[in-house]
Amino acid sequence: MGEVKVMVDVRGVHKSFGDNEVLRGVDLRVGTGEVVVVLGPSGSGKSTLLRTINHLEKTDRGLVSIDGDLIGYRRRGDKLYELREREILRQRAHVGFVFQNFNLFPHLTVVENIVEAPISTGRKPRAEAHAQARRLLARVGLSDKENAYPRHLSGGQQQRVAIARALALEPKVLLFDEPTSALDPELVGEVLDVIRDLARSGTTMIVVTHEIGFARDVADSVVFMDAGVVVEQGPPAQVLDDPQHPRTRAFLSKVL
Amino acid sequence: MSVSARPRPRALDSPAPKVVPARHPWRWVGIAVVLVLLAQFVHGLVTNPGWDWATFARFVTAKSILNAVVITLELTLYGTVLGFALGIVLALMRLSRSRFLETVSWTYVWAFRSIPLIVQLLFWFNISYLYEELNFGIPFGPTFFGFQTKDLISPMGAAVLGLALHQAAYAAEIVRSGVISVDHGQLEAAAALGIPRSRQLRRIVLPQAMRSILPNATNEVISLFKGTSVVSVVAIGELFYQVQVIYGRNARVVALLMVATAWYIALTTLLSIVQHYVEKHYAKGATRNEDGWKWAR
């Protein structure tokens, strides 16, 4: 990673929900163009970590920066000023987020789902946004579904639309929160193929998943989390095939 | 596991045996009884001179009645538009992150749901006894200009005010129920995409909320439409008041009540038809089946 520019920088992030401390000081650095896969048992804080990165959850302590910009705050001297919602929304447009349950807008057609954010944030004029949406749909293999409503599509197709929707903002980094966990087994492959294709094109990505094979195949770096901390991090060959920490070993022995 | 019983060979063999539908004799008895009762009722409507259809026919399209229908519709329209406008604001206040606005909204709904509409109407009608003048100026300071309250708030104004304020309390709860029925993931997705907050509401949340708002809202409009008859207590010439005036003169009570009833039924039917089409519009993409929107109502 040495000379690669750091895109996502997570430092000492803590987050509690009530008495439940979900993140207990997480550090993570992701270089530009790097693909990081986060593994870990459920409840280990993977999803929460992802959500703090685009400020869907506010951190209790610790900071996140993307491409050198602090997320959610502005620093002046030794003080941090909370950003207003409008500014946070503007920052989020640089971070694509793909949800486990897709969260497509069911009352809008596929193409309307994709152009909504670029148009309403004033990034692109209508015609250009539509042209881009068509290119993105071609890229995820759904050119013929432009005018379908999300509920008329299969789960795999919906998730591919959701990925196209996230890409429409031309984000600096893409976050995937268990993108294939809500899918029937035979539909997982088509979504992973799209993500794999993005990885090859040099998109910076953080992927929370349970697909070990996919991690081995695509990840530049694998992060193993447990109980709110990063237990182990390294290239897939090292973390998956020669884990150093007993908790990593215990987890892998269950899922492999 | 082995099947020991000898299979009955003919049950499923021989292609396409004829199906004889099961018979339901008691169903036919029930239908006969209801038909007889219905026939008696219709016969009564036609032959009983008490219904006085001649008088009904004379008044149902009389000018005074038509004018009263227009006033009833005006009251309904103003009450609905102002009521829902204020209701949406109240719902958003209730859902806002400001504890203060939330409390104000809650208190409003509490107060206006607690006071009977008829009491409120009489109160607004008599407001000029309480506040003789309305003045505009610096609070607790000098006045710039003022009005006599009784000039500003006419009886019609008092009625609209009463209906709208009453309606707003119910509308607020209906809108709020619609908004909270939208899956939270929708707001998260919109926020993650950086869509501006007002646009999130207009484009993402409200269209989806409309599906559960509409049936309740139509109920409210219909009940407001008939509820305008309460306004007769402040002597406004809406439909029910007008009917009372006429039967006060000619004593044809039943016929004139039927005139009012016919108008209320006709216009409620119209509203129900409008509801059908508006609901269909907001059902876009709601189900997997293109025409299956009815099942998802």
Side-chain angles (χ1 to χ4, degrees):
Chain A
M1 215 166 108
E3 71 281 8
V4 180
K5 197 170 146 235
V6 174
M7 178 57 85
V8 181
D9 196 346
V10 177
R11 298 222 184 155
V13 164
H14 289 253
K15 176 73 189 176
S16 300
F17 297 106
D19 292 337
N20 183 16
E21 195 175 18
V22 181
L23 299 177
R24 306 163 187 251
V26 175
D27 290 281
L28 183 67
R29 259 165 289 282
V30 180
T32 304
E34 203 184 5
V35 178
V36 171
V37 170
V38 183
L39 301 175
S42 64
S44 57
K46 310 177 299 271
S47 291
T48 308
L49 172 66
L50 220 52
R51 294 161 60 83
T52 57
I53 291 174
N54 77 343
H55 215 66
L56 277 178
E57 304 287 355
K58 217 194 244 178
T59 61
D60 296 338
R61 252 191 301 154
L63 291 171
V64 176
S65 77
I66 290 176
D67 202 14
D69 289 330
L70 219 47
I71 296 298
Y73 301 93
R74 179 180 297 117
R75 182 172 218 147
R76 213 174 284 152
D78 57 352
K79 281 213 179 83
L80 286 176
Y81 295 87
E82 236 176 62
L83 293 183
R84 282 177 307 162
E85 175 143 347
R86 181 190 297 264
E87 298 165 300
I88 293 172
L89 285 170
R90 206 171 299 145
Q91 288 188 327
R92 285 210 191 106
H94 296 295
V95 184
F97 200 104
V98 176
F99 295 87
Q100 182 176 354
N101 297 317
F102 332 134
N103 288 340
L104 292 175
F105 306 129
H107 60 302
L108 303 180
T109 61
V110 162
V111 75
E112 286 169 340
N113 263 278
I114 298 173
V115 300
E116 176 60 28
I119 291 175
S120 70
T121 54
R123 291 277 200 91
K124 282 199 163 69
R126 179 164 284 274
E128 204 178 307
H130 277 264
Q132 181 206 35
R134 276 190 287 274
R135 282 198 303 279
L136 288 170
L137 281 174
R139 187 166 177 190
V140 299
L142 289 172
S143 288
D144 54 330
K145 299 294 184 191
E146 211 175 295
N147 295 313
Y149 284 100
R151 290 210 176 102
H152 301 159
L153 304 178
S154 73
Q157 291 171 328
Q158 290 190 48
Q159 192 60 298
R160 279 144 69 197
V161 173
I163 293 171
R165 182 174 72 170
L167 288 171
L169 287 162
E170 290 156 7
K172 294 174 177 172
V173 55
L174 266 178
L175 309 177
F176 291 86
D177 188 7
E178 304 200 19
T180 57
S181 296
L183 298 177
D184 290 340
E186 80 271 22
L187 302 177
V188 168
E190 62 186 67
V191 172
L192 291 184
D193 285 345
V194 169
I195 302 175
R196 195 174 284 127
D197 179 51
L198 288 170
R200 291 211 188 93
S201 71
T203 315
T204 312
M205 303 198 289
I206 305 177
V207 186
V208 169
T209 184
H210 294 293
E211 301 286 333
I212 306 290
F214 172 80
R216 196 190 304 278
D217 194 17
V218 175
D220 296 307
S221 171
V222 173
V223 170
F224 176 71
M225 279 183 76
D226 192 18
V229 292
V230 173
V231 174
E232 195 164 346
Q233 177 174 9
Q238 180 196 315
V239 177
L240 298 176
D241 300 328
D242 184 22
Q244 301 302 303
H245 201 283
R247 274 193 283 177
T248 318
R249 250 175 268 150
F251 174 77
L252 288 173
S253 73
K254 269 182 238 156
V255 296
L256 279 179
Chain B
M1 199 179 81
S2 68
V3 182
S4 54
R6 205 136 54 97
R8 284 182 294 165
R10 308 236 339 124
L12 292 172
D13 295 351
S14 63
K18 189 165 176 287
V19 176
V20 180
R23 303 203 184 276
H24 305 280
W26 285 106
R27 222 181 260 176
W28 290 104
V29 174
I31 290 171
V33 170
V34 172
L35 279 177
V36 169
L37 289 174
L38 267 177
Q40 272 189 306
F41 177 66
V42 173
H43 180 255
L45 277 183
V46 176
T47 57
N48 185 340
W51 290 104
D52 194 4
W53 293 111
T55 309
F56 173 87
R58 191 148 53 86
F59 280 103
V60 74
T61 53
K63 193 157 191 318
S64 61
I65 294 290
L66 292 182
N67 286 339
V69 168
V70 169
I71 292 180
T72 292
L73 286 175
E74 276 176 3
L75 286 168
T76 310
L77 179 71
Y78 296 147
T80 302
V81 171
L82 294 175
F84 271 85
L86 181 55
I88 289 171
V89 173
L90 285 165
L92 296 181
M93 282 167 69
R94 181 79 188 275
L95 294 165
S96 82
R97 283 168 212 164
S98 156
R99 203 56 194 265
F100 175 73
L101 294 180
E102 195 190 327
T103 310
V104 169
S105 168
W106 184 89
T107 311
Y108 179 95
V109 172
W110 167 77
F112 280 84
R113 282 201 307 199
S114 307
I115 307 169
L117 178 58
I118 193 162
V119 174
Q120 242 198 87
L121 285 168
L122 289 169
F123 180 81
W124 290 114
F125 192 61
N126 293 302
I127 188 79
S128 55
Y129 293 115
L130 193 58
Y131 297 98
E132 280 186 22
E133 287 181 11
L134 273 182
N135 294 314
F136 293 86
I138 297 166
F140 306 109
T143 300
F144 299 143
F145 54 92
F147 299 95
Q148 290 288 311
T149 307
K150 66 176 187 301
D151 299 334
L152 193 67
I153 302 180
S154 62
M156 187 71 179
V160 167
L161 195 62
L163 289 173
L165 292 179
H166 171 81
Q167 198 53 53
Y170 291 90
E173 287 296 274
I174 289 172
V175 172
R176 188 171 73 92
S177 80
V179 170
I180 59 182
S181 75
V182 175
D183 178 21
H184 186 65
Q186 293 290 308
L187 271 181
E188 272 195 343
L193 286 165
I195 296 170
R197 189 125 166 101
S198 61
R199 173 99 180 172
Q200 287 180 21
L201 199 69
R202 269 200 339 271
R203 177 81 166 151
I204 308 299
V205 177
L206 282 182
Q208 296 187 61
M210 282 307 271
R211 282 177 50 70
S212 68
I213 290 175
L214 270 170
N216 293 323
T218 316
N219 263 351
E220 281 300 309
V221 175
I222 288 172
S223 93
L224 176 66
F225 168 60
K226 291 176 301 173
T228 53
S229 55
V230 174
V231 172
S232 60
V233 298
V234 291
I236 286 171
E238 48 73 50
L239 184 55
F240 189 62
Y241 181 81
Q242 196 57 44
V243 162
Q244 283 179 304
V245 167
I246 296 172
Y247 72 58
R249 277 200 313 258
N250 68 7
R252 313 273 185 159
V253 177
V254 171
L256 279 153
L257 286 180
M258 284 308 287
V259 167
T261 305
W263 275 108
Y264 284 125
I265 290 178
L267 292 169
T268 301
T269 308
L270 197 64
L271 277 173
S272 305
I273 293 170
V274 172
Q275 173 187 16
H276 172 87
Y277 285 102
V278 179
E279 277 186 21
K280 202 167 169 177
H281 170 77
Y282 280 104
K284 276 185 305 184
T287 56
R288 307 197 68 169
N289 194 339
E290 304 270 356
D291 59 352
W293 67 277
K294 286 178 187 169
W295 299 105
R297 265 200 290 205

